[in-house]
Amino acid sequence: MRLERRRHVLSWVAGSIGAATLHAYGAQPQWPIRPVSLICPWGAGGGTDATARVLAAILEKNLGQPFNVMNRTGGSGVVGHSAIAHAPADGYTLGMITVEITMLHHQGLSPLKPTSYRPLALLNLDPPGIQVNANTPYKSVKALADAIKSSPAGQFKASGTGYGGIWHLALIGWLRAMGLPANHVTWVPSNGAAPAMQDLAAGGVDLVTCSVPEARAMIDAGKARSLAVMATQRNPIFKDVPTLKESLDIDYSLGAWRGIAAPKRLPDGIADRLAVALKQAFDSTVFQDFMRARGFGMRWADAAEFASFMAEGDKFMAAAISAAGLAKKG
């Protein structure tokens, strides 16, 4: 009995030391052993939500635990992004962060910034398109640009999102690239691309700067057309829409993007396993078919590349937001 008890104690001690060693080095070989929450900072039914849900379904199948998408909306993305950054760094709360994280702190809306997270992977990048009403006389982006340049400030109206949002900054960047002031075209705030496109179809605004996938319903209905994309290359789903470089010889591009991140102190062991799982999910037929069917741009970057991508985006947004007169201290 004494010998057996001693063996039991030694076994327990060895196991405890092993567990402590694994914990000390951040290794979590059994992760995940319970459901994982995937926070989405935007509402149900939108593009970010849909992308998060298809990704969660793939991760659940591959990793053997439920991945539950939680929509935490409000504050122009502040609520959800804050929930991701301040969650326990145990691998059981992840999030889909978006381009707004490079904008919020410049606009004084939140102290959060790209370095507030542990980036894991970039999955998507959608450049803005320039959409007009199907009945407009402008058949090319050059014709539209010439009309804007020759018009008095404020004559043209544009929409696509709220004031200071990503699609507003897209317009400002395009105007600056043409040598025009940021307010030469009046911005009409909207609650997103869908209502902006409805306003365009009704004649309430002259153009909408949003991603072409977001404008697709109105384009397919014959109520709008896309004249150009602010990207380095054409979208293969919308191959007839030229780039600004092709049409106006303007080297200007940006886009809305989505990626996966975790609280900053996520252990290395979990981050390593997630890196493999996310790449497998991105490469899967299910994810690729889903993104292509909706015309969403696919862009892969691993953790280090994603961090660099966000750092560059943060610098760009600082300049754009300052030019728009929207810069404030957080």
Side-chain angles (χ1 to χ4, degrees):
M1 287 292 293
R2 287 184 178 178
L3 181 59
E4 186 63 30
R5 184 179 301 168
R6 185 183 178 194
R7 286 175 178 169
H8 176 74
V9 171
L10 288 173
S11 177
W12 179 85
V13 170
S16 298
I17 292 172
T21 302
L22 287 172
H23 180 73
Y25 285 95
Q28 302 286 337
Q30 295 182 349
W31 179 92
I33 59 173
R34 56 185 173 86
V36 178
S37 294
L38 181 62
I39 295 176
C40 173
W42 306 102
T48 303
D49 174 73
T51 304
R53 290 183 187 279
V54 71
L55 181 69
I58 298 169
L59 291 173
E60 180 171 323
K61 180 180 178 182
N62 290 349
L63 293 174
Q65 290 290 340
F67 276 71
N68 302 312
V69 175
M70 301 175 62
N71 299 95
R72 299 289 299 276
T73 62
S76 299
V78 171
V79 172
H81 282 96
S82 180
I84 299 165
H86 297 126
D90 58 6
Y92 292 98
T93 301
L94 308 173
M96 182 162 278
I97 63 174
T98 59
V99 64
E100 282 74 16
I101 203 59
T102 61
M103 301 162 59
L104 296 173
H105 66 109
H106 296 303
Q107 296 170 326
L109 298 175
S110 170
L112 294 170
K113 55 186 69 174
T115 53
S116 301
Y117 306 87
R118 178 157 189 168
L120 298 171
L122 175 68
L123 305 171
N124 158 251
L125 177 64
D126 284 318
I130 301 171
Q131 282 70 231
V132 295
N133 188 296
N135 296 321
T136 187
Y138 310 115
K139 307 298 183 184
S140 69
V141 72
K142 184 179 186 308
L144 176 64
D146 289 343
I148 290 173
K149 289 177 182 177
S150 62
S151 70
Q155 179 173 313
F156 278 80
K157 297 179 180 179
S159 189
T161 187
Y163 195 77
I166 181 63
W167 302 141
H168 184 198
L169 295 179
L171 172 70
I172 291 171
W174 178 41
L175 293 174
R176 292 179 65 208
M178 293 192 295
L180 297 172
N183 61 352
H184 189 80
V185 172
T186 299
W187 186 257
V188 179
S190 71
N191 289 324
M197 288 301 298
Q198 292 171 358
D199 199 13
L200 179 72
V205 295
D206 302 294
L207 63 145
V208 167
T209 47
C210 70
S211 70
V212 184
E214 290 175 307
R216 189 174 191 172
M218 285 295 180
I219 294 173
D220 290 347
K223 296 181 179 181
R225 62 173 169 267
S226 188
L227 300 181
V229 288
M230 303 180 193
T232 56
Q233 59 186 10
R234 299 189 185 197
N235 185 327
I237 305 298
F238 309 101
K239 58 185 179 181
D240 294 330
V241 182
T243 66
L244 284 180
K245 175 66 175 177
E246 294 176 274
S247 304
L248 299 175
D249 198 27
I250 290 177
D251 282 314
Y252 174 69
S253 64
L254 85 166
W257 53 259
R258 304 176 178 108
I260 300 297
K264 194 168 183 178
R265 299 187 184 281
L266 182 74
D268 290 344
I270 297 176
D272 291 343
R273 185 158 192 206
L274 272 165
V276 174
L278 288 169
K279 186 63 167 72
Q280 289 176 338
F282 180 86
D283 290 338
S284 70
T285 301
V286 172
F287 187 80
Q288 296 273 323
D289 287 349
F290 170 86
M291 299 295 277
R292 288 195 188 98
R294 286 155 182 79
F296 292 159
M298 286 175 282
R299 170 77 177 269
W300 170 261
D302 63 21
E305 294 166 340
F306 188 18
S308 297
F309 174 86
M310 287 194 291
E312 288 300 314
D314 195 69
K315 292 178 184 177
F316 176 89
M317 288 302 176
I321 290 169
S322 178
L326 300 172
K328 296 177 183 178
K329 292 183 179 181

